[in-house]
Amino acid sequence: MAIFADQIFPSGGEGSAEGGIIRIFHKTNNQNFNSSSNIARDDSTPLISEGIQIFSQDIALTNAGNKLIFISDIYGNEDSNSGDNLVFPHFAGSTCFFVGFEQSTGTPSGENYRKNSHIAMYEPNSTSTITYSIRGGVDAGNYEHMESTSYSTNGNYNQLRRSTLTILEVSSSW
């Protein structure tokens, strides 16, 4: 059995009087990369210059009062030691509005790979186009995205492993 988008909400979107999902944006990333740009483990807010960009999407809301819901599944690793913090700050322009976090500890260190799932909401209160992005980083060593590990080499699963981001624009009356 399949569920189609127009079974969740009418294909033209729902009017603001009813509330609901207005638009859906979906992105995937199965690129293999790593970065030594770390995100400090301290009491400061992550900066747009820290870590490495995994996703980016320009969005102008259809109504200034609408909300955005971010649903992400991101793969990450740092394998130079056996205890690290994977950090996934979410940005609206250069403003950090959410930080996904996971302690990734395993032995041996090459098995620290994790799929990190996060849900965040943001209310920009604007119809101007804003670039939303998610960055990845670790507190020390190199952040790795989709790199080969002993259990998950890039040749396995026909390279169908990927990080995903779904952004829902939700009516302001919901």
Side-chain angles (χ1 to χ4, degrees), residues 51-99:
I52 188 167
Q53 182 170 287
I54 300 170
F55 290 109
S56 179
Q57 177 70 49
D58 292 339
I59 299 174
L61 294 183
T62 57
N63 179 316
N66 288 354
K67 302 165 183 64
L68 293 172
I69 298 174
F70 295 77
I71 304 167
S72 61
D73 287 314
I74 303 173
Y75 289 86
N77 185 40
E78 195 289 312
D79 65 7
S80 67
N81 57 55
S82 62
D84 290 291
N85 295 291
L86 299 172
V87 183
F88 300 97
H90 294 47
F91 291 92
S94 61
T95 301
C96 182
F97 66 89
F98 174 82
V99 177

Side-chain angles (χ1 to χ4, degrees), residues 2-69:
I3 297 176
F4 298 96
D6 63 356
Q7 291 174 316
I8 299 171
F9 59 93
S11 58
E14 291 190 6
S16 61
E18 293 87 15
I21 299 170
I22 304 300
R23 294 186 295 170
I24 300 173
F25 303 87
H26 183 73
K27 300 185 82 81
T28 63
N29 186 335
N30 67 348
Q31 299 299 308
N32 178 334
F33 57 81
N34 64 63
S35 171
S36 61
S37 177
N38 295 331
I39 301 174
R41 179 176 30 170
D42 59 21
D43 62 358
S44 66
T45 300
L47 303 173
I48 193 75
S49 59
E50 297 176 313
I52 188 167
Q53 182 170 287
I54 300 170
F55 290 109
S56 179
Q57 177 70 49
D58 292 339
I59 299 174
L61 294 183
T62 57
N63 179 316
N66 288 354
K67 302 165 183 64
L68 293 172
I69 298 174

Side-chain angles (χ1 to χ4, degrees), residues 116-139:
N116 302 267
S117 299
H118 305 285
I119 298 173
M121 185 177 73
Y122 186 67
E123 300 177 62
N125 296 313
S126 171
T127 56
S128 297
T129 299
I130 298 173
T131 300
Y132 296 92
S133 60
I134 298 178
R135 300 182 71 79
V138 293
D139 57 340

Side-chain angles (χ1 to χ4, degrees), residues 30-35 75-79 110 113 142-155 161:
N30 67 348
Q31 299 299 308
N32 178 334
F33 57 81
N34 64 63
S35 171
Y75 289 86
N77 185 40
E78 195 289 312
D79 65 7
Y113 232 97
N142 286 347
Y143 168 77
E144 299 175 341
H145 182 263
M146 306 310 291
E147 292 266 333
S148 295
T149 67
S150 57
Y151 292 118
S152 188
T153 63
N154 287 334
R161 297 177 303 117

